[in-house]
Amino acid sequence: MTPPRLAIVVPCYNEQEALPASLKTLLGLLNDMTAARAVADDSYIMCVDDGSRDRTWQIIAEAHNADRRVKGIALAHNRGHQNALLAGLEAVTDRCDISVSIDADLQDDPQAIRNMVGLYSDEHAEIVYGVRSSRESDSWFKRTSAQTFYRLQRALGVDTVYNHADYRLMSNRALHLLGEYGESNMYLRGIVPQIGLRTATVSYPRTARTAGETHYPLSKMISLSVDGITSFTAKPMRMIFTVGLILLVLDIIVAVWVLIAHFRHETITGWSSLMLSVWFLGSLILMGLGIVGEYIGKIYIEVKRRPRFAVREEIF
Ligand code: UDP
Ligand code: MG
């Protein structure tokens, strides 16, 4: 059996501090794995320069001249981690048997790639998720906010893998199926589980950034989280309807209170009628919004034109 051709996809945004060492580590890993015949000789690293303003692209070009296994594409401007990753995965589709995506700072232990490839070769897993077994190196804030977010996603019914970021192996078939998702707001951690196919997980401890600084400030984290929820579920809109319904029930209690006060002459003129209409109309408006939201949610799901199913194999 010939070993699979591996493409390691690395999104890079202003990574001049971390990239040289990371490339060295990854090339070393490729050497070891090729020697062990775990992956093919023509395996390579695909760096995606996400519109960096520093020397990142020069570093990639120099590394390519020194070793042809380092390849790269440069995006015209900064499009964010998810898009950079997607560009890389698209670039390697049809040019590899398996891809592994990993952050340029190698916070996710690259040695876990060996296990990922092992699971692909031995257990025929087509998607292998890297799962963080410990996040001690992350700040308290990052850890807590990330975990709260995963829980919230779960509660809202979005199917994701706990403590998994974008460190994962995907087979060529999985890459092709991913290519069928045409939506522009791609939240990969939510889309990949929808693909199906045989999956496995590999756990590893997450370490601190080797060099440089994080490019995920709070603002980017929040927008990623919003995408992670709004791209998958219209539940928040349905909640508006529920709130309206609850208000309508409370309305009855308020009405009783208002009427008692009114007939006891404990009110000023106009208060009772105002109170009754504010509460009643408020709940009606919320319920109306919820109903409109329900339809918008349907339209939203439709316009995404997501594939309805994925064919794994065919005997004809
Ligand atoms: N990244 C990117 N585009 C961006 C921001 C980040 O391609 O706009 C890349 C970055 O170079 C790194 C990965 O995404 O390879 C994760 O970013 P980072 O390590 O800064 O995030 P953190 O690990 O702190 O969440
Ligand atoms: Mg990082």
Side-chain angles (χ1 to χ4, degrees):
M1 210 182 78
T2 51
R5 183 182 192 195
L6 168 69
I8 302 178
V9 177
V10 191
C12 314
Y13 177 57
N14 293 345
E15 293 287 5
Q16 63 180 11
E17 277 93 15
L19 199 56
S22 300
L23 286 176
K24 211 168 140 197
T25 311
L26 289 176
L27 283 171
L29 180 73
L30 277 187
N31 288 341
D32 292 352
M33 290 180 74
T34 350
R37 294 194 43 79
V39 296
D41 296 335
D42 55 358
S43 298
Y44 59 96
I45 302 168
M46 172 60 82
C47 304
V48 184
D49 176 13
D50 184 16
S52 302
R53 275 161 308 185
D54 64 358
R55 294 193 65 256
T56 300
W57 184 241
Q58 281 99 300
I59 292 173
I60 295 170
E62 281 159 22
H64 172 77
N65 288 335
D67 191 326
R68 295 280 146 174
R69 289 176 301 171
V70 178
K71 303 179 193 298
I73 51 173
L75 302 190
H77 70 155
N78 183 237
R79 296 295 293 132
H81 176 222
Q82 296 287 299
N83 285 317
L85 198 55
L86 218 58
L89 293 177
E90 212 174 284
V92 303
T93 306
D94 290 328
R95 289 162 164 177
C96 67
D97 299 311
I98 44 177
S99 71
V100 171
S101 47
I102 188 167
D103 288 352
D105 53 9
L106 299 192
Q107 275 185 287
D108 305 298
D109 181 14
Q111 298 304 326
I113 294 178
R114 295 173 197 270
N115 291 340
M116 291 184 174
V117 174
L119 285 167
Y120 166 82
S121 303
D122 306 335
E123 320 254 323
H124 310 291
E126 307 232 21
I127 299 173
V128 184
Y129 298 105
V131 175
R132 297 161 181 177
S133 58
S134 84
R135 304 183 58 129
E136 247 91 83
S137 60
D138 282 344
S139 67
W140 175 87
F141 176 73
K142 179 125 191 168
R143 206 164 55 226
T144 320
S145 57
Q147 279 168 356
T148 313
F149 169 63
Y150 291 137
R151 293 218 180 87
L152 180 66
Q153 262 190 332
R154 279 268 170 94
L156 289 171
V158 185
D159 188 13
T160 52
V161 180
Y162 192 68
N163 259 340
H164 158 71
D166 285 301
Y167 184 25
R168 74 176 82 78
L169 175 143
M170 292 178 78
S171 69
N172 191 35
R173 178 156 43 191
L175 287 175
H176 273 280
L177 293 173
L178 178 69
E180 304 208 349
Y181 285 78
E183 61 200 83
S184 46
N185 272 315
M186 273 283 222
Y187 178 74
L188 281 164
R189 287 166 224 182
I191 295 284
V192 176
Q194 290 199 347
I195 294 178
L197 297 178
R198 189 192 292 261
T199 59
T201 55
V202 164
S203 70
Y204 64 91
R206 175 161 155 109
T207 54
R209 213 174 213 286
T210 43
E213 282 171 8
T214 177
H215 301 110
Y216 257 103
L218 188 61
S219 56
K220 276 192 192 172
M221 261 158 63
I222 291 176
S223 75
L224 183 71
S225 321
V226 172
D227 265 356
I229 290 172
T230 54
S231 299
F232 292 92
T233 164
K235 265 196 190 167
M237 286 205 272
R238 203 164 289 160
M239 282 175 188
I240 302 178
F241 182 80
T242 317
V243 172
L245 204 63
I246 294 171
L247 280 187
L248 196 66
V249 175
L250 287 182
D251 205 19
I252 300 171
I253 302 170
V254 173
V256 171
W257 168 55
V258 170
L259 287 177
I260 291 175
H262 182 76
F263 288 115
R264 281 184 170 179
H265 301 290
E266 288 166 358
T267 63
I268 55 169
T269 320
W271 180 81
S272 323
S273 51
L274 264 183
M275 275 299 274
L276 287 180
S277 26
V278 164
W279 272 79
F280 186 62
L281 286 179
S283 50
L284 279 195
I285 288 171
L286 277 185
M287 285 168 68
L289 277 180
I291 293 172
V292 172
E294 194 71 29
Y295 284 97
I296 294 181
K298 289 258 155 59
I299 297 170
Y300 182 58
I301 302 291
E302 289 297 329
V303 295
K304 281 180 187 291
R305 304 205 126 268
R306 281 187 181 161
R308 274 171 286 220
F309 48 78
V311 177
R312 182 169 51 87
E313 260 164 276
E314 188 179 80
I315 301 179
F316 193 72

